[in-house]
Amino acid sequence: MIRLGILLSGRGSNLIAIADAIAAGRLNAEIAVVISNRPYAPGIEAAQQRGLHAHVIQAKGLTREEHDEEIVRALKNHGVELVVLAGYMRLLTAHFIRAFPNRIVNIHPSLLPAFPGLDAQKQALDYGVKIAGCTVHFVTEGLDDGPIILQKQVPVLEGDTEETLSTRILEQEHAAYAEALEMIARGRVAMEGRRVSISECDPLTVRHWK
Ligand code: GRF
């Protein structure tokens, strides 16, 4: 079973969705550890309530490299095979990325490459797009820039506010993350350059994917 290390900075709804997908048997994985850079992140409390290993590793007083080194050490100590960024509000250093080659994923609340960075939902609304969505992608050194694994679209409706659109996108995020992680866990995800391909289900998984 693939061992996930989840990094977050805030609310933790994606962490909860992943934990729920595991509990429901939709995701064949194990959450080895949850790490937050913020001490009072609600996500860390949610992790503790579920009996998961949860650590706070603050950046205060450390260089970016030192902070990342501490996190990498903790992830390795917990035998993490796939690092899952779930609302982790820091850019990873090259050192971190090299420690888990092609083994770090992120979710972003837009259809990348449109609207990277902060407030993606507001950016989409202000731009006037009619279709928004979310993207699960591998993490590279560029901001929200890595190869795309899966995207889900969401209509922008008349009268949408940043809040209503964000809520609609978040629902799809929760589904998308569990789906993408399950595909990785099943070994169905391959990468060539920027292009990620998803292989067909093997006979053992057909039942699961119906
Ligand atoms: C999500 O919108 C995610 O796409 C973005 O940060 C937010 C995290 O939300 N990267 P949560 O903490 O998982 O609820």
Side-chain angles (χ1 to χ4, degrees), residues 55-99:
H55 299 301
V56 174
I57 302 180
Q58 283 183 268
K60 216 166 139 199
L62 304 176
T63 64
R64 277 185 67 211
E65 283 71 19
E66 287 166 346
H67 184 236
D68 273 8
E69 260 168 42
E70 256 199 57
I71 293 179
V72 166
R73 208 172 308 128
L75 293 168
K76 299 266 182 193
N77 282 343
H78 285 276
V80 166
E81 296 161 294
L82 183 69
V83 180
V84 179
L85 306 185
Y88 185 62
M89 301 303 282
R90 286 173 69 85
L91 263 182
L92 305 187
T93 58
H95 167 79
F96 193 139
I97 291 168
R98 275 199 300 269

Side-chain angles (χ1 to χ4, degrees), residues 10-15 86-87 106-109 121 170 173:
R11 184 174 55 183
S13 73
N14 277 287
L15 157 73
N106 181 42
I107 189 154
H108 183 75
Q121 303 94 329
L170 193 62
E173 287 187 40

Side-chain angles (χ1 to χ4, degrees), residues 8 16 18-19 33 35 43 49 58 69 81 85 90 92 100 102 130 141-142 144 158 162 165 168 185 192 194 202-203:
L8 53 79
I16 293 168
I18 292 166
V33 66
I35 299 174
Q49 278 165 9
Q58 283 183 268
E69 260 168 42
E81 296 161 294
L85 306 185
R90 286 173 69 85
L92 305 187
F100 289 94
N102 297 335
K130 301 296 185 197
E141 280 177 60
D144 301 323
E158 289 301 320
E162 187 184 348
L165 180 59
R168 199 172 313 115
E192 210 184 315
R194 277 205 61 94
D202 65 48

